[in-house]
Amino acid sequence: MARAHGFEDLKAWQLARELVQNIYQLMGTQVFGKDHALRDQLRRAAVSSMANIAEGFERGSKRDFVRFLYMARGSAGEVRSHLYVARDLDYITEAEFERMTSRISGLSKGVFRFIQHLESSETDAT
């Protein structure tokens, strides 16, 4: 695996960034404009996932990085859970729900594979 020079090089961070963009686009609909709490919580959880990957990388220790990756994965799960609420309230279509949950699941799986890689490696390099 190639060494990342910055968190921007990490595929997990790139996927999280795309997720944030997708969530903000989805939240721009008029329906979400009326439900400020759900809209804001979805945005915060998505941004948290992206930010935790970056913060963990910048900490400089593998142990801290893994801990922050677990938090990023948890935030991705939070986004997925909130999307169920949005779907149940008919804020988003089934197609939008499926598209978004597929992307979030991909992020979550990618982060978990990265955690497994870091936990199995012998060096403290990121």
Side-chain angles (χ1 to χ4, degrees), residues 66-107:
V66 167
R67 185 168 58 87
F68 277 87
L69 287 172
Y70 274 115
M71 287 188 274
R73 189 167 184 246
S75 293
E78 183 180 353
V79 171
R80 198 167 70 244
S81 180
H82 291 320
L83 286 173
Y84 276 96
V85 175
R87 179 64 197 120
D88 291 345
L89 296 173
D90 291 324
Y91 289 177
I92 58 176
T93 66
E94 185 66 28
E96 290 169 324
F97 174 80
E98 292 296 329
R99 180 176 55 87
M100 293 302 298
T101 56
S102 175
R103 288 181 180 185
I104 295 163
S105 292
L107 170 62

Side-chain angles (χ1 to χ4, degrees), residues 3-116:
R3 182 171 171 84
H5 297 286
F7 62 81
E8 298 92 345
D9 296 332
L10 301 174
K11 182 66 175 172
W13 183 84
Q14 294 166 5
L15 290 172
R17 182 180 178 200
E18 289 174 20
L19 173 64
V20 169
Q21 292 170 342
N22 294 151
I23 290 294
Y24 269 79
Q25 289 169 351
L26 194 61
M27 299 299 101
T29 64
Q30 191 172 19
V31 173
F32 274 104
K34 297 175 184 176
D35 194 335
H36 301 290
L38 182 59
R39 182 194 66 207
D40 293 345
Q41 192 63 30
L42 264 161
R43 286 177 174 175
R44 280 194 300 271
V47 170
S48 177
S49 186
M50 181 179 154
N52 276 310
I53 295 168
E55 185 174 354
F57 181 89
E58 293 293 330
R59 293 281 177 136
S61 86
K62 184 170 65 171
R63 183 177 180 181
D64 278 346
F65 191 19
V66 167
R67 185 168 58 87
F68 277 87
L69 287 172
Y70 274 115
M71 287 188 274
R73 189 167 184 246
S75 293
E78 183 180 353
V79 171
R80 198 167 70 244
S81 180
H82 291 320
L83 286 173
Y84 276 96
V85 175
R87 179 64 197 120
D88 291 345
L89 296 173
D90 291 324
Y91 289 177
I92 58 176
T93 66
E94 185 66 28
E96 290 169 324
F97 174 80
E98 292 296 329
R99 180 176 55 87
M100 293 302 298
T101 56
S102 175
R103 288 181 180 185
I104 295 163
S105 292
L107 170 62
S108 185
K109 289 174 187 174
V111 168
F112 188 66
R113 283 191 302 271
F114 193 27
I115 290 168
Q116 289 176 317

